């Protein structure tokens, strides 16, 4: 890579501002990253590729907080992989979103008093392309605000030339294999958008409605049949009443003729096993043009298909006197008429699931229509076989594999035509001269059958998900033998919400297997939805939506990214709480303040001066060990996509180990007179901060870059700095044991001070009675820390030290601590405190004794776990003995 250009001017290391300004860092570093192509793939020719294709957002408006979660998780993964040395490609793009985008543009036109029909198809599409450009630019600006490390040189759009070619290739090949066909079937119809919908574009909502019981009389006067319906307006299209062939109640009626009320149409009583004889009256009205199940029954019995409403949900000429009424108005009128005729037997309240258009919100109408379909079974079978043979994708969490398989095993043919103008127009032409249908990858001007030039292209466009299904390979150059396709496909991981596993994930898998013979991605990471603080789904109607740009404006991109990425486990919904964003902002400030202190004490240290070998203090060796452990744990958790646990590991290391302990300990050396020790601590501090910024960088890219650039460093940007790796050389169990003892001792002293209300500023006398020579050596080797952080006026250490007559006592592993505080302590109060401590230790001893006495635990638990429990028991027992002895001393 060429040397970075236009690097922002960096002040002297010691001149970091007193407070962190996230907006200044964001405005500084994102343009720098972009100008220098740090995120452009293909610059590491010998590196292993790692690919993510972005789930393309719709060009319908602003990104929401769910997008922020989805994109942040991807950015965390790709930034880490880039630092780990992969040739990392994160490919951006957007989706034309047929129905949604066309609806938005039509709404805008209506505000100006015009419709798409006033403009005509060509002029209308110009307006939609203008809309697309505007909102695509908006999306890019939002991506920049979030700090996303996208390779814009490879940006794609589902209607661009390359993807359009791929769509036609797939359509024609499936058609030629007989897997795409045109037929007249019941489909989901959106009367507001006036287009077909696929099954998974229908949202079912619980609605309080009614069940209407109607009486249909037999023509011969021998009786009647009661049927029930939630949609009485559809009775105008009834062409039969069906009963179960083994239902004794109706055996004599099968084959007879009923008279349809109001209309007077004669319809047969038919027998079909579709009917559940135990349900209701055991008889159902059959309306083949307005119900998918009735449609199938009608095909079996060769029944007429009578459509009684048009594409807007308005009753047509087949509805007789109700022609011109809206379907809801027709329902009211027909119910009144049925009452008057005496054939409406009963109306009961009925709660049922009603389909609504995901796009327009309108109640969906089952509608008989000629549409284009994909025959799904052959495609699904291959995907099912791959998944069950271990050659499928890896779902995270794995429970979503069952969800995927259940859907694909029960999949129905996919209606892919939409009555829209915006989208991939179906590549089918009809000859007006001879009626021949042609499907072609190229535009046709002449009929290949009769030679006529009088051709017309199918008016419909393809379902948006048809082009989205090709996204992982069409974006990389398929169907051409493109270099990117050969290098970056199959992709490495797909990150997406569990709510589109049917819409998109399944379709990408079976399409990829059909056209590339490979699964499109190795892993599928399913995340949940972002809900409000009460757990409700965010929606315009509730007014509880969150704009990610508002979050960034208030708290900065890093705070939003950290909060949203670490707030849940894979597959679980996340509750958005502003106080958690504030906590993340406070975490960023903690990192800034600690780094600022460090940098003020690193003056004169260059990157090449950093040396963490040789003689180091206990604290130095301990923090290097903890950094090493944290790097291993963070890498393991990130590889498992456990970002919540990763965040906790980083938080605990940075806040507790680094800031609260190591930096405080380092002050003694940094402010001391030993120049050699000072240089070593400066090296350790610089090294640890450098590597800590690398570990936190995928989550908080801006603050980590800002701090890293101030630190002694090697390289142009932290985005390309090497990922910290675990190394045996930094493992130091001895330093951990020593620091654990010191930290326990200091905490114990602070707790005792708090109990008797002795402030830390007041010096105290303290005796430390070590349990053995090893514990005494640890204490004596670190007396400077003990004295400083316990604030002692007189510190005595040893083994078998005499117990002061009047003293506070603290028991830690390896030592007893006495505080001769005559005049500051109430003996009775101290005994009470020790009695309480003894009770707690009694409980711990009893708990572990029970566990070790449980044969089931001992037989099943690993030997290491049992050994650890025994060590705990010995430790608690020892502490209890010392507490009991001290109580006895005080009482005497």
């Amino acid at each position: 890579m060429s040397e970075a250009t236009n690097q922002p001017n960096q002040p002297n290391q010691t001149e970091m501002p007193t407070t962190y300004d996230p907006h200044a860092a964001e405005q500084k570093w994102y343009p720098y990253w972009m100008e220098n192509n740090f995120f452009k793939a293909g610059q590491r020719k010998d590196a292993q590729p790692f690919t993510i294709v972005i789930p393309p957002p719709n060009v319908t408006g602003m990104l929401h907080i769910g997008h922020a979660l989805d994109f942040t998780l991807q950015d965390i993964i790709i930034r880490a992989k880039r630092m780990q040395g992969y040739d990392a490609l994160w490919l951006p793009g957007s989706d034309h979103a047929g129905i949604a985008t066309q609806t938005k543009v039509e709404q805008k036109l209506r505000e100006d008093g015009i419709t798409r029909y006033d403009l005509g198809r060509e002029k209308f599409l110009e307006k939609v392309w203008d809309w697309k450009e505007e909102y695509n630019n908006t999306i890019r600006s939002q991506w920049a605000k979030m700090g996303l490390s996208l390779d814009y040189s490879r940006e794609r759009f589902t209607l661009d030339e390359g993807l359009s070619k791929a769509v036609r290739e797939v359509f024609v090949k499936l058609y030629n294999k007989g897997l795409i066909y045109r037929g007249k079937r019941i489909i989901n119809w959106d009367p507001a958008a006036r287009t077909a919908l696929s099954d998974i574009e229908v949202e079912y909502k619980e609605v309080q409605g009614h069940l209407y019981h109607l009486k249909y009389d037999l023509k011969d006067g021998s009786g009647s049949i009661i049927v029930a319906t939630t949609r009485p307006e559809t009775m105008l299209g009834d062409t039969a009443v069906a009963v179960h062939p083994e239902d004794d109640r109706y055996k004599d009626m099968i084959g007879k003729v009923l008279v349809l009320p109001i209309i007077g149409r004669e319809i047969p009583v038919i027998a079909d096993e579709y009917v559940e004889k135990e349900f209701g009256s055991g008889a159902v009205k059959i309306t083949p043009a307005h119900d998918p199940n009735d449609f199938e029954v009608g095909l079996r019995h060769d029944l007429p298909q009578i459509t009684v409403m048009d594409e807007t949900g308005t009753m047509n000429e087949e509805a007789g006197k109700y022609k011109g009424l809206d379907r809801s108005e027709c329902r009211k009128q027909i119910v009144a008429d049925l009452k008057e005729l005496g054939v409406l037997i009963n109306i009961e309240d009925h709660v049922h699931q009603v389909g609504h258009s995901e796009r327009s919100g309108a109640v969906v109408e089952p509608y008989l229509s000629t549409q284009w379909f994909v025959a799904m079974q052959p495609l699904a079978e291959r995907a099912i076989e791959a998944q069950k043979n271990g050659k499928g994708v890896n779902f995270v969490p794995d429970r979503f594999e069952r969800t995927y398989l259940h859907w694909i095993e029960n999949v129905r043919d996919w209606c892919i035509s939409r009555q829209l103008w915006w989208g991939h127009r179906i590549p089918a032409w009809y000859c007006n001269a001879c009626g021949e249908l042609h499907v072609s990858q190229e535009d046709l001007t002449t009929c290949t059958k009769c030679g006529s030039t009088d051709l017309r292209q199918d008016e419909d466009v393809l379902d948006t998900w048809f082009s989205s299904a090709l996204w992982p390979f069409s974006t990389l150059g398929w169907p051409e033998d493109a270099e990117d396709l050969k290098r970056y496909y199959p992709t490495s991981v797909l990150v997406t919400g569990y709510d589109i596993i049917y819409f998109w994930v399944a379709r990408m898998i079976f399409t990829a297997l059909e056209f590339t013979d490979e699964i499109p991605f190795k892993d599928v990471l399913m995340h949940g939805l972002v809900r409000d603080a009460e757990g409700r789904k965010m929606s315009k109607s509730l007014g509880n939506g969150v704009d990610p740009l508002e979050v960034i404006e208030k708290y900065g991109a890093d705070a939003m990214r950290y909060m949203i990425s670490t707030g849940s486990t894979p597959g679980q919904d996340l509750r958005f709480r502003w106080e958690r964003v504030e906590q993340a902002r406070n975490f960023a400030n903690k990192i800034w303040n600690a780094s600022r202190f460090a940098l003020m004490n690193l003056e004169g240290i260059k990157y090449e001066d950093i040396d963490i070998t040789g003689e180091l203090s206990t604290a130095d060796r301990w923090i290097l060990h903890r950094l090493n452990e944290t790097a291993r744990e963070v890498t393991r958790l990130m590889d498992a996509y456990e970002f919540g646990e990763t965040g906790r590991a980083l938080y605990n290391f940075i806040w507790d180990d680094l800031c609260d302990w190591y930096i405080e300990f380092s002050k003694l050396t940094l402010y001391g007179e030993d120049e050699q020790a000072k240089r070593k601590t400066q090296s350790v501090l610089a090294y640890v901060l450098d590597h800590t910024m690398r570990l936190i960088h995928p989550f908080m890219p801006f603050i980590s870059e800002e701090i890293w650039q101030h630190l002694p460093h090697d390289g142009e940007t932290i985005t390309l700095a090497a990922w910290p790796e675990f190394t045996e050389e930094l493992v130091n169990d001895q330093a951990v044991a020593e620091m654990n003892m010191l930290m326990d001792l200091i905490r114990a002293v602070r707790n005792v001070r708090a109990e008797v209300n002795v402030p830390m500023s007041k010096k105290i006398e303290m005796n430390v009675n070590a349990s053995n020579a090893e514990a005494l050596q640890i204490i004596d080797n670190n007396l400077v820390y003990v004295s400083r952080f316990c604030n002692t006026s007189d510190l005595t250490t040893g083994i078998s030290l005499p117990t002061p007559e009047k003293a506070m006592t603290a028991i830690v592993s390896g030592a007893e601590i006495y505080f001769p505080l005559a005049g500051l302590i109430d003996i009775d109060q101290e005994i009470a405190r020790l009695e309480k401590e003894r009770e707690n230790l009694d409980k711990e001893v009893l708990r572990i004794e029970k566990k070790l006495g449980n044969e089931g635990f001992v037989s099943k638990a690993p030997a290491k776990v049992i050994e650890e429990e025994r060590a705990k028991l010995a430790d608690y027992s020892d502490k209890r003995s010392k507490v009991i002895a001290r109580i006895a001393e005080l009482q005497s």
Side-chain angles (χ1 to χ4, degrees):
M1 180 181 293
S2 61
E3 191 171 325
T5 59
N6 301 321
Q7 183 172 15
N9 291 326
Q10 281 301 313
N12 183 279
Q13 290 173 1
T14 59
E15 293 179 359
M16 279 179 71
T18 53
T19 57
Y20 175 58
D21 181 352
H23 304 304
E26 290 158 19
Q27 291 162 16
K28 180 195 301 184
W29 294 114
Y30 200 77
Y32 171 65
W33 295 333
M34 289 294 104
E35 288 163 12
N36 288 283
N37 292 319
F38 292 144
F39 308 141
K40 187 174 181 179
Q43 300 180 80
R44 295 169 170 171
K45 301 297 183 186
D46 298 327
Q48 183 180 342
F50 188 97
T51 316
I52 301 177
V53 291
I54 202 167
N58 296 342
V59 288
T60 49
M62 308 289 279
L63 301 179
H64 54 67
I65 198 70
H67 287 118
L69 169 61
D70 192 60
F71 298 152
T72 299
L73 295 181
Q74 292 169 70
D75 196 37
I76 289 168
I77 295 168
I78 209 74
R79 282 182 182 271
K81 294 300 180 183
R82 194 180 289 117
M83 296 173 77
Q84 287 167 11
Y86 288 86
D87 178 13
L89 167 60
W90 187 16
L91 189 147
S94 52
D95 197 305
H96 66 280
I99 296 176
T101 305
Q102 179 161 318
T103 301
K104 290 277 189 182
V105 177
E106 287 196 80
Q107 287 173 352
K108 189 177 179 184
L109 290 176
R110 279 197 294 274
E111 293 170 7
D112 298 329
I114 56 175
T115 69
R116 61 172 159 140
Y117 302 103
D118 296 327
L119 293 174
R121 188 168 194 141
E122 191 174 327
K123 291 288 185 185
F124 174 74
L125 290 178
E126 288 177 10
K127 294 282 187 186
V128 190
W129 277 105
D130 290 343
W131 172 283
K132 176 262 175 186
E133 285 303 314
E134 178 185 346
Y135 281 94
N136 231 30
N137 289 333
T138 300
I139 288 168
R140 287 191 202 101
S141 69
Q142 291 174 298
W143 282 342
K145 287 279 189 184
M146 294 178 197
L148 306 186
S149 59
L150 295 154
D151 182 352
Y152 286 99
S153 70
R154 289 173 167 87
E155 185 176 3
R156 303 305 297 269
F157 178 57
T158 49
L159 277 177
D160 69 27
E161 186 179 349
L163 270 68
S164 297
K165 182 177 181 180
V167 164
R168 281 204 175 183
E169 175 107 354
V170 168
F171 187 97
V172 172
K173 284 187 173 179
L174 289 177
Y175 178 81
N176 289 337
K177 287 183 73 170
L179 296 178
I180 283 183
Y181 64 92
R182 192 166 184 260
K184 194 173 186 182
R185 299 181 66 84
I186 287 280
I187 47 89
N188 302 298
W189 185 263
D190 182 336
R194 300 188 194 182
T195 183
L197 302 171
S198 66
D199 291 343
I200 52 180
E201 289 173 307
V202 180
E203 291 183 317
Y204 286 91
K205 300 177 184 178
E206 200 170 80
V207 172
Q208 176 64 58
H210 299 93
L211 193 61
Y212 302 88
H213 298 266
L214 313 178
K215 183 180 72 165
Y216 288 9
D217 293 327
L218 286 165
K219 182 182 179 183
D220 63 9
S222 62
S224 59
I225 293 180
I226 306 297
V227 297
T229 180
T230 58
R231 304 165 67 224
E233 67 278 7
T234 64
M235 68 167 287
L236 303 174
D238 287 359
T239 57
V241 167
V243 297
H244 195 277
E246 296 176 4
D247 193 333
D248 293 335
R249 292 172 294 178
Y250 301 114
K251 272 191 175 179
D252 295 337
M253 294 186 184
I254 295 169
K256 288 191 174 185
V257 175
L258 295 164
V259 179
L260 191 63
I262 299 176
I263 298 296
R265 181 185 306 128
E266 295 181 359
I267 60 175
V269 179
I270 62 172
D272 197 284
E273 291 185 351
Y274 155 70
V275 181
E276 298 177 42
K277 59 182 179 180
E278 293 81 14
F279 183 76
S281 67
V284 294
K285 59 192 279 305
I286 302 298
T287 320
H290 291 279
D291 182 277
N293 295 314
D294 293 2
F295 175 77
E296 298 297 336
V297 173
L299 290 180
R300 288 196 290 273
H301 296 271
D302 198 25
L303 297 175
Q305 300 165 340
I306 301 173
T307 304
V308 298
M309 55 184 88
D310 66 16
E311 62 182 20
T312 67
T314 302
M315 309 311 291
N316 63 16
E317 60 277 353
E318 293 286 355
K321 68 177 184 177
Y322 305 104
K323 178 184 177 181
L325 290 179
D326 173 82
R327 54 186 172 162
S328 57
E329 286 301 315
C330 178
R331 180 178 299 181
K332 293 176 188 174
Q333 186 60 53
I334 209 166
V335 167
D337 291 348
L338 291 168
K339 275 184 183 176
E340 191 175 335
L341 287 171
V343 296
L344 180 56
I345 306 302
N346 184 32
I347 303 174
E348 61 178 293
D349 291 338
H350 180 64
V351 176
H352 59 135
Q353 298 288 321
V354 176
H356 290 70
S357 169
E358 188 205 35
R359 304 302 184 184
S360 70
V363 173
V364 168
E365 190 66 44
Y367 195 68
L368 185 63
S369 178
T370 300
Q371 303 286 344
W372 290 90
F373 295 87
V374 174
M376 289 299 302
Q377 190 173 353
L379 298 169
E381 284 173 353
R382 186 171 180 186
I384 293 165
E385 182 185 3
Q387 200 66 29
K388 291 187 173 179
N389 289 343
K391 297 177 181 177
V393 302
N394 173 43
F395 284 91
V396 182
D398 59 8
R399 68 177 184 272
F400 286 106
E401 180 180 38
R402 295 191 298 274
T403 307
Y404 160 72
L405 282 172
H406 176 75
W407 181 77
I408 206 166
E409 285 170 347
N410 296 279
V411 72
R412 299 201 301 181
D413 286 1
W414 173 16
C415 177
I416 56 171
S417 46
R418 298 290 181 269
Q419 289 63 54
L420 304 170
W421 288 353
W422 175 243
H424 293 279
R425 196 163 174 183
I426 290 174
W429 285 262
Y430 306 93
C431 178
N432 291 326
C434 69
E436 185 71 8
L437 168 63
H438 304 278
V439 170
S440 170
Q441 291 185 39
E442 306 299 328
D443 288 353
L444 294 181
T445 56
T446 304
C447 176
T448 56
K449 183 178 180 182
C450 71
S452 172
T453 57
D454 188 10
L455 298 180
R456 59 183 174 85
Q457 187 177 356
D458 196 302
E459 292 290 323
D460 291 350
V461 300
L462 288 165
D463 178 11
T464 296
W465 297 102
F466 192 92
S467 53
S468 298
L470 319 182
W471 188 251
F473 52 94
S474 63
T475 51
L476 293 169
W478 189 92
E480 304 300 331
D481 188 27
E483 288 302 315
D484 275 3
L485 186 68
K486 287 187 280 189
R487 179 157 178 77
Y488 298 109
Y489 183 83
T491 66
S492 305
V493 60
L494 173 76
V495 180
T496 191
Y498 61 66
D499 54 330
I500 58 171
I501 193 168
Y502 311 136
F503 281 100
W504 194 41
V505 179
R507 288 170 173 169
M508 284 189 286
I509 293 170
F510 67 67
T511 309
L513 285 169
E514 176 69 18
F515 291 98
T516 71
D517 288 321
E518 294 185 273
I519 55 170
F521 21 72
K522 296 180 182 70
D523 294 342
V524 178
L525 172 59
M526 312 297 298
H527 60 73
L529 306 177
V530 182
R531 299 183 178 274
D532 70 8
E534 297 174 31
R536 300 174 301 176
K537 190 173 181 179
M538 292 184 177
S539 67
K540 288 182 180 177
S541 59
L542 290 174
N544 62 345
V546 174
D547 180 357
L549 296 192
E550 181 187 352
V551 183
I552 291 169
E553 183 61 33
K554 283 186 177 180
Y555 295 105
D558 287 336
M560 184 197 73
R561 289 169 60 107
Y562 185 82
M563 181 283 297
I564 205 166
S565 60
T566 62
S568 71
T569 55
Q572 298 298 314
D573 290 344
L574 176 147
R575 293 193 179 192
F576 182 92
R577 292 185 173 93
W578 283 101
E579 59 267 27
R580 289 198 64 246
V581 193
E582 189 170 350
Q583 288 166 7
R585 190 271 314 275
N586 294 343
F587 181 40
N589 287 342
K590 181 83 167 182
I591 295 170
W592 181 262
N593 291 335
S595 302
R596 185 170 177 272
F597 160 79
L599 285 160
M600 289 169 66
N601 289 279
L602 293 179
E603 190 170 6
I605 296 289
K606 297 182 175 60
Y607 181 77
E608 53 271 22
D609 296 333
I610 296 174
D611 177 13
I612 58 170
T613 62
E615 190 173 343
L616 300 174
S617 70
T618 298
D620 289 341
R621 289 180 285 118
W622 170 76
I623 197 64
L624 288 170
H625 174 99
R626 285 292 300 122
L627 171 69
N628 198 36
E629 272 191 330
T630 303
R632 178 171 59 183
E633 185 68 356
V634 165
T635 303
R636 182 186 69 81
L637 290 168
M638 288 184 69
D639 285 345
Y641 306 116
E642 292 283 357
F643 299 113
E645 291 301 312
T646 307
R648 275 182 277 281
L650 285 166
Y651 184 93
N652 291 339
F653 172 74
I654 294 171
W655 195 289
D656 297 338
D657 297 344
L658 179 58
C659 297
D660 285 358
W661 287 104
Y662 179 69
I663 285 180
E664 291 304 310
F665 273 40
S666 73
K667 289 176 182 178
L668 299 184
T669 309
L670 294 171
Y671 299 160
E673 301 298 324
D674 188 335
E675 285 300 318
Q676 187 176 353
K678 180 177 180 180
R679 281 292 174 187
K680 282 296 181 185
T681 294
Q682 286 176 321
S683 282
V684 170
L685 190 53
Y687 179 90
V688 171
L689 266 179
D690 174 357
H691 285 69
T692 301
M693 290 308 103
R694 299 185 200 203
L695 290 173
I696 199 74
H697 174 72
F699 293 85
M700 295 180 155
F702 293 111
I703 193 171
S704 56
E705 181 77 271
E706 179 71 21
I707 292 169
W708 190 83
Q709 292 284 356
H710 279 83
L711 285 167
H713 65 270
D714 179 36
E716 303 159 343
T717 172
I718 195 172
T719 65
L720 301 180
W723 184 254
E725 293 184 1
F726 179 83
T727 171
E728 288 293 340
E729 286 75 18
L730 294 181
V731 174
N732 200 314
D733 294 333
Q734 179 62 30
V736 172
E738 291 181 17
M739 273 298 288
N740 284 344
M741 185 175 181
L742 292 173
M743 291 188 293
D744 283 350
L745 192 153
I746 293 165
R747 286 192 197 101
V749 172
R750 289 173 176 174
N751 290 338
V752 169
R753 280 177 172 271
E755 281 189 39
V756 295
N757 205 21
V758 176
M760 283 301 300
S761 58
K762 183 178 179 65
K763 288 188 177 292
I764 59 171
E765 185 181 343
M766 191 170 96
N767 297 349
V768 181
N769 190 23
S771 301
N772 50 54
E774 183 183 358
L776 179 61
Q777 186 175 3
I778 291 172
I779 296 164
D780 286 346
N781 287 347
N782 294 280
L783 279 178
V784 64
Y785 297 131
V786 177
S787 177
R788 166 66 181 81
F789 292 105
C790 297
N791 196 15
T792 59
S793 57
D794 185 15
L795 175 60
T796 304
T797 65
I799 299 174
S800 301
L801 291 175
T803 305
E805 287 189 12
K806 290 186 176 182
M808 289 285 288
T809 308
I811 310 296
V812 297
S813 298
E816 298 171 79
I817 312 164
Y818 303 117
F819 310 92
L821 295 176
L824 295 177
I825 177 175
D826 183 306
I827 298 284
D828 291 335
Q829 186 180 12
E830 173 62 358
I831 291 172
R833 186 187 71 80
L834 287 169
E835 288 284 5
K836 189 174 181 181
E837 188 172 344
R838 183 186 60 78
E839 287 175 14
N840 290 334
L841 288 166
D842 282 342
K843 290 176 185 176
E844 290 300 323
V845 168
L846 182 62
R847 180 180 65 80
I848 298 176
E849 283 177 342
K850 280 184 178 179
K851 186 182 282 190
L852 291 172
N854 183 334
E855 288 185 15
F857 170 75
V858 174
S859 64
K860 292 178 183 177
K864 184 181 178 184
V865 172
I866 294 171
E867 206 52 47
E868 286 173 355
E869 291 299 317
R870 286 175 177 155
K872 285 182 192 174
L873 179 60
D875 186 41
Y876 286 134
S877 299
D878 181 53
K879 288 179 181 176
R880 183 175 63 173
S881 299
K882 290 172 179 174
V883 167
I884 292 170
R886 184 59 184 148
I887 291 171
E889 288 172 8
L890 288 172
Q891 288 174 335
S892 67

